[in-house]
Amino acid sequence: MAFALRPTQEGALHYPRGFEGNMAGGAGNTATVTLSHAQIISDDAGTGTTDARQLVLQRARSLTEKFEEWRLAMSQRFEKMDLAPDLAEKIGSGRWFRGVGTLLGLSAIAIAFWPDFAPLEAAPAMSLDAQARDEFRSHMILPLALGSDSGRHMGATDAVVPLRSAPERPQVQMLATLVSGDSFGRMLQRAGVGAADAARVSEMVARTMPLGDIEPGTQVDITLGRRPSPGSPRPLDALAFRARFDLELGIERSGGTLALQRKPIRVDETPLRIRGVVGQSLYRSARAAGAPASAVQQYLKTLGQQVDMERAVGANDTFDIIIAHKRAATGERQAGQLLYAGIERSGRQATQLMRWGKEGRFFEASGVGEQRAGLVAPVPGSISSRFGMRRHPILGYRRMHAGMDFRAGYGTPIVAVTDGTVSGAGRMGGCGNAVRLSHGGDLQTRYCHMSRMAVRGGQAVRRGQVIGYVGSTGLSTGAHLHYEMYRSGRAVDPASVRFVTRAQLSGAELQQFRATLAKLRNVTPGAALASMTPATGEVETAPVREIDKVEQPRKIG
């Protein structure tokens, strides 16, 4: 029940009967409270009549009632203070800053009472005395830097019989690896082979093949026997390794002497041919077809010198890759370098490139090596002046500018635009220090104003090879490269040249080239991946992994 109260002179709260209805309406300035019937008493004293009596509300007397009265008063006071307003309203006002202060204060209190995350120390599972702790320490393995004394022997009892010498294993088997820059003999000695045996083995292997031809990474299985006397090196009992892809060498001790055994391995060198559709990505399609990553990269680089790979190759075109491939009768396989790079484009002539010659150049099917993607830039700079008539910056009159000028800093390397031979290198009048290259087919290029030359007359250079460095010698106003091109002794615009004949085959060499190309194109795609048919007395065995050798039982004795 809710009542409107008014204080009396005695300190009690009174209200007249019949006023309950006004209390329910809720006057604007009248406080309302909820009271129990125990707090309402009748005031009959001094009136004599029941109708005129008033109800008197007693004040709280118990501790619980006093606490509730205090809590109600404090809550009303804090509500008037408005300490926690909505911070999304009236940003920047005094009420908003009061709310920010409340937030900061509560955050500081929360941080002040942040719990500690220090580990709790648990009681030991068992009580250890000094003697038991020492016994445990004798079996522990601890870092020496922490004062470890592990490794000490436990006290001997009467049951311990001392030995004159510790027994050794009758044989020791190990695997040694030849690293780059190391010699075969030093590798054997580091593995534990005696100096005399290592020298004898190196001599025997050298009679079969040069020791320098053993590739780094070759693994050698070594078996050492029993020592003839304490402190002496173990004798070599057996040794085996793969000297070449087609040869395995083994050395065994028989009757006190070492004997070499050659085990030739039959190898098939059928090239690996991979064909497929270009699709969305030529690289990914070739890798998905089974081509090695190195071969695909070499294929893209070779084909990119003849074809615009971004514009001239479509998703429906067919790529054709042939790489050198070897497969041994023992099951090993080895992929080599790229031999053939081809692409068949719809509506266009197929591009066929094959590696030929000692230098490993790629030639087209016609026997002519061409570069259809244009010349490489001699320096990595922009063009400042093109071919044609212009006013000379030093002479002051108009005359023919028989070349192209490239912006480049002093000392920038200058490279040959294509393969050729140095027909001149030295001082050349207004060109200053210059290098002239002959590329065959009456085509020549000249590079002027060099600060320093890196080639000499008569030297053969390859495309992209550094031939000199940018300077400002001769008639020059600053460091730059003046680049000229001549055809049959007549100056031509270098920007108009779209391809350069690198080399051309003729006669018997051309016929041999075409016969080899026809043989490569007759290779069945994927034929090299088939297993070889074992010959009589030959068993194909898969390569054994080193992890599998550990699990194999070994005979001791």
Side-chain angles (χ1 to χ4, degrees):
M1 297 176 61
F3 297 92
L5 308 179
R6 58 183 177 84
T8 61
Q9 294 179 356
E10 294 81 6
L13 300 178
H14 299 266
Y15 75 95
R17 290 186 178 274
F19 195 68
E20 297 87 348
N22 295 334
M23 293 166 54
N29 297 325
T30 305
T32 60
V33 296
T34 302
L35 303 175
S36 63
H37 289 280
Q39 294 177 284
I40 304 174
I41 60 176
S42 298
D43 188 11
D44 297 333
T47 59
T49 60
T50 305
D51 296 346
R53 68 182 181 180
Q54 295 180 336
L55 296 178
V56 180
L57 303 182
Q58 290 181 339
R59 290 188 180 274
R61 290 293 179 262
S62 64
L63 182 61
T64 303
E65 293 174 351
K66 290 182 179 181
F67 174 76
E68 291 295 333
E69 182 180 0
W70 174 82
R71 185 178 64 82
L72 178 61
M74 293 301 297
S75 62
Q76 292 177 352
R77 181 174 302 176
F78 280 113
E79 184 178 358
K80 291 180 181 181
M81 294 175 63
D82 194 15
L83 295 177
D86 189 355
L87 296 180
E89 299 179 355
K90 298 181 180 180
I91 298 175
S93 61
R95 182 172 179 267
W96 183 84
F97 279 107
R98 184 167 60 251
V100 171
T102 303
L103 175 63
L104 296 178
L106 294 177
S107 301
I109 294 175
I111 295 175
F113 288 95
W114 191 268
D116 188 8
F117 291 98
L120 299 177
E121 295 184 3
M126 58 181 294
S127 57
L128 298 176
D129 55 6
Q131 183 179 0
R133 185 175 291 104
D134 289 340
E135 293 297 330
F136 278 118
R137 289 180 60 84
S138 65
H139 296 279
M140 289 192 302
I141 300 177
L142 295 176
L144 296 178
L146 301 180
S148 169
D149 58 355
S150 61
R152 61 187 178 86
H153 297 284
M154 298 179 63
T157 63
D158 297 338
V160 177
V161 177
L163 299 177
R164 294 182 180 179
S165 62
E168 289 187 341
R169 296 172 57 184
Q171 278 190 342
V172 176
Q173 295 181 343
M174 62 187 65
L175 184 69
T177 303
L178 179 63
V179 298
S180 179
D182 197 3
S183 66
F184 190 76
R186 288 197 301 267
M187 180 265 297
L188 294 178
Q189 293 187 32
R190 282 199 307 274
V193 180
D197 288 344
R200 176 59 178 164
V201 170
S202 300
E203 180 183 356
M204 298 170 64
V205 174
R207 294 176 183 177
T208 303
M209 62 175 298
L211 296 179
D213 292 347
I214 303 177
E215 297 182 358
T218 300
Q219 295 182 337
V220 182
D221 287 317
I222 302 175
T223 302
L224 301 178
R226 189 187 300 272
R227 300 178 190 272
S229 60
S232 61
R234 288 177 176 267
L236 177 65
D237 283 354
L239 180 146
F241 68 100
R242 191 70 168 266
R244 292 195 307 263
F245 191 74
D246 59 346
L247 178 63
E248 182 176 348
L249 296 179
I251 297 177
E252 293 185 0
R253 185 177 296 276
S254 177
T257 59
L258 296 175
L260 176 68
Q261 297 179 356
R262 299 179 74 260
K263 301 177 182 178
I265 300 174
R266 187 166 56 93
V267 175
D268 178 65
E269 297 186 359
T270 302
L272 175 60
R273 186 176 186 182
I274 302 174
R275 289 174 57 88
V277 180
V278 173
Q280 296 181 353
S281 171
L282 177 56
Y283 179 85
R284 293 181 180 178
S285 300
R287 291 286 290 132
S294 58
V296 178
Q297 294 175 357
Q298 193 174 7
Y299 169 82
L300 295 176
K301 180 180 179 180
T302 301
L303 204 62
Q305 297 179 0
Q306 306 290 331
V307 180
D308 189 350
M309 302 299 294
E310 296 183 357
R311 300 180 181 179
V313 178
N316 296 326
D317 296 342
T318 302
F319 62 86
D320 195 354
I321 303 175
I322 301 179
I323 60 178
H325 184 267
K326 295 180 180 179
R327 50 178 177 168
T330 53
E332 294 86 359
R333 299 178 182 273
Q334 187 180 73
Q337 62 183 359
L338 179 69
L339 300 178
Y340 173 86
I343 187 166
E344 300 174 5
R345 296 174 291 172
S346 57
R348 299 184 182 181
Q349 184 179 3
T351 300
Q352 304 176 21
L353 301 174
M354 189 183 74
R355 185 186 296 272
W356 185 257
K358 297 180 179 179
E359 297 181 356
R361 297 182 179 181
F362 280 88
F363 292 82
E364 287 187 344
S366 59
V368 177
E370 293 183 350
Q371 180 186 323
R372 299 185 181 277
L375 300 174
V376 297
V379 291
S382 59
I383 299 175
S384 59
S385 181
R386 295 187 176 274
F387 182 87
M389 296 296 296
R390 70 163 188 174
R391 182 181 178 85
H392 197 279
I394 297 179
L395 301 179
Y397 58 85
R398 291 179 60 83
R399 74 170 191 172
M400 183 66 181
H401 184 231
M404 300 172 62
D405 290 344
F406 289 85
R407 295 187 180 92
Y410 189 90
T412 302
I414 304 172
V415 300
V417 296
T418 190
D419 299 350
T421 304
V422 180
S423 58
R427 193 79 180 185
M428 298 184 185
C431 272
N433 296 331
V435 172
R436 184 173 58 249
L437 303 180
S438 297
H439 306 285
D442 295 330
L443 187 68
Q444 292 182 331
T445 55
R446 187 166 69 162
Y447 312 81
C448 303
H449 307 311
M450 290 185 177
S451 61
R452 182 165 57 93
M453 295 170 289
V455 292
R456 61 183 183 276
Q459 179 181 346
V461 296
R462 298 293 299 271
R463 177 177 181 264
Q465 179 179 341
V466 176
I467 59 176
Y469 300 90
V470 172
S472 185
T473 58
L475 292 178
S476 173
T477 58
H480 72 288
L481 171 65
H482 177 73
Y483 167 60
E484 299 176 344
M485 181 175 291
Y486 295 89
R487 188 183 297 276
S488 301
R490 184 176 180 179
V492 296
D493 186 1
S496 64
V497 177
R498 295 306 177 190
F499 68 92
V500 174
T501 301
R502 297 173 57 187
Q504 185 170 357
L505 304 178
S506 60
E509 187 178 10
L510 178 59
Q511 294 180 0
Q512 186 179 1
F513 170 83
R514 291 177 176 175
T516 305
L517 178 61
K519 184 178 180 180
L520 281 179
R521 289 187 54 81
N522 289 331
V523 175
T524 304
L529 299 178
S531 300
M532 295 179 61
T533 303
T536 304
E538 184 180 60
V539 180
E540 180 178 356
T541 57
V544 180
R545 302 179 303 172
E546 294 303 321
I547 188 64
D548 296 334
K549 294 181 180 180
V550 177
E551 300 178 356
Q552 296 177 357
R554 294 184 177 182
K555 184 178 179 181
I556 300 178

